[in-house]
Amino acid sequence: MTRTVIAVMIAVVSVVYAPGCAGATVVYWTPAPELAPDLPSGFIAWGDLDGDGDDDVSSFAFEKQFWNTGCPGQPTWVWEEFVYPDPGIGDCSRQSGTLGDVDADGDLDLIYACWQCCSFRMVWNVGTPQEPALEYGGAIAGDPDSRSNARAWLADIDADGDLDLLSNHADRRIELHENTGTPSSPLWVRRGYVLGVLLNDSHGQLGFGDLDGDGDLDLIAGVPTVLPGVQCWENVGTPQACVYVENPAMLTGVNTAITRINGIALPDVDCDGDPDLLIGARPSVDLYINERITAVQPASWGTIKAIYR
């Protein structure tokens, strides 16, 4: 099995987090493309798949797995061919997937969104947090809307300790499938379009994460054809009851005019405890670092490199 190693060094960067009024929080991002994996654009999932304390990245469209073997402080990307099993059922491709510990056993499982046949497919991790062993588990309850070319994302949207399932749809809305079971025994119930979010494009790629450090899940979306190509919604509610307000100020420093986006991810690339922003677009991949270090003003990446040169 061929592996390619890409080693990169990371310097300390300064990004401002400035709380404001509801829907007016400012989050600054520092471009750091040199720290990104050499990732083909397309349908990105992320999570600590090998249990070493840092987030790994998967490209489903191009079937490549990128392991981060260099944290903390020095992300080093090692790639190999895809590690996920093929569902092998009719038109169910594996172009979209989301990672999460669905059964609360300490390792990451996978859910495919099979948009051709409008269903979700489960892949269980029957290995260990350090040595994943993934087995196809069949269709699961809570299929997406039949009008959809849906993708799937796992997030604890109601802060009850288990993972809920979200998917985007042809009408540009996001559907929630609430996990009404337990952290170890999921039971998804379709709740409909309850987030109140309208994407710029029906093919939007989503990322849920606490971008501003206030303890709840914010939302970033990337769309392939219209501008702005990157959108952000601040959660101005609570962790238990999300209220999303679109807030471009949470993307300060991000090139929102990127087009042809088909992947958004929020891995903690530099292992500092907050989500960074990885944007898969053709022909390149952009990475933005979020440090949440308070400074008088945001420092440019060029200035930072000059300081540490």
Side-chain angles (χ1 to χ4, degrees):
M1 187 176 295
T2 303
R3 290 193 176 207
T4 302
V5 180
I6 308 161
V8 292
M9 297 290 290
I10 186 170
V12 175
V13 299
S14 296
V15 178
V16 178
Y17 159 55
C21 61
T25 299
V26 180
V27 178
Y28 292 87
W29 302 85
T30 300
E34 57 267 54
L35 303 181
D38 187 15
L39 177 73
S41 62
F43 309 132
I44 306 168
W46 71 96
D48 185 7
L49 194 59
D50 54 6
D52 64 350
D54 52 47
D55 283 337
D56 309 298
V57 175
S58 307
S59 172
F60 283 82
F62 292 86
E63 299 191 349
K64 291 186 182 295
Q65 175 66 33
F66 291 81
W67 306 99
N68 185 354
T69 64
C71 271
Q74 299 178 10
T76 303
W77 300 102
V78 179
W79 74 264
E80 66 180 12
E81 299 305 323
F82 220 42
V83 299
Y84 305 105
D86 194 324
I89 297 178
D91 292 330
C92 186
S93 75
R94 54 183 182 183
Q95 284 196 333
S96 174
T98 179
L99 290 166
D101 188 1
V102 174
D103 53 5
D105 64 350
D107 54 37
L108 294 182
D109 309 296
L110 171 75
I111 291 179
Y112 287 121
C114 297
W115 57 272
Q116 297 100 326
C117 52
C118 294
S119 64
F120 296 129
R121 307 282 175 169
M122 190 72 228
V123 177
W124 297 105
N125 190 343
V126 296
T128 68
Q130 292 73 33
E131 294 290 338
L134 298 162
E135 293 184 359
Y136 177 61
I140 63 174
D143 284 355
D145 191 315
S146 60
R147 295 173 295 159
S148 169
N149 51 4
R151 274 68 170 169
W153 292 271
L154 286 165
D156 186 4
I157 204 71
D158 51 9
D160 64 349
D162 54 36
L163 291 174
D164 307 297
L165 184 61
L166 301 109
S167 57
N168 65 331
H169 289 272
D171 58 6
R172 298 187 291 146
R173 292 183 292 175
I174 298 172
E175 186 172 34
L176 169 64
H177 307 264
E178 182 187 358
N179 188 346
T180 62
T182 68
S184 59
S185 181
L187 176 62
W188 285 287
V189 175
R190 195 172 181 171
R191 299 301 192 197
Y193 309 110
V194 298
L195 298 188
V197 171
L198 188 66
L199 305 175
N200 274 357
D201 187 279
S202 62
H203 297 276
Q205 304 296 307
L206 309 180
F208 290 88
D210 185 5
L211 306 181
D212 52 10
D214 64 352
D216 54 36
L217 293 179
D218 307 299
L219 169 62
I220 282 185
V223 299
T225 58
V226 296
L227 294 177
V230 186
Q231 296 175 272
C232 187
W233 287 264
E234 180 183 357
N235 185 354
V236 299
T238 67
Q240 295 76 25
C242 298
V243 177
Y244 285 108
V245 175
E246 189 169 2
N247 183 2
M250 293 187 75
L251 294 172
T252 301
V254 174
N255 178 12
T256 58
I258 301 171
T259 58
R260 304 188 70 184
I261 296 173
N262 56 13
I264 285 283
L266 294 171
D268 184 4
V269 169
D270 51 5
C271 304
D272 65 349
D274 55 37
D276 305 305
L277 175 58
L278 187 64
I279 303 173
R282 297 177 182 177
S284 64
V285 171
D286 288 336
L287 175 67
Y288 296 87
I289 298 296
N290 176 3
E291 288 285 353
R292 294 189 193 145
I293 298 175
T294 302
V296 175
Q297 60 183 8
S300 70
W301 188 246
T303 301
I304 294 164
K305 289 192 292 187
I307 292 173
Y308 285 89
R309 188 169 295 162

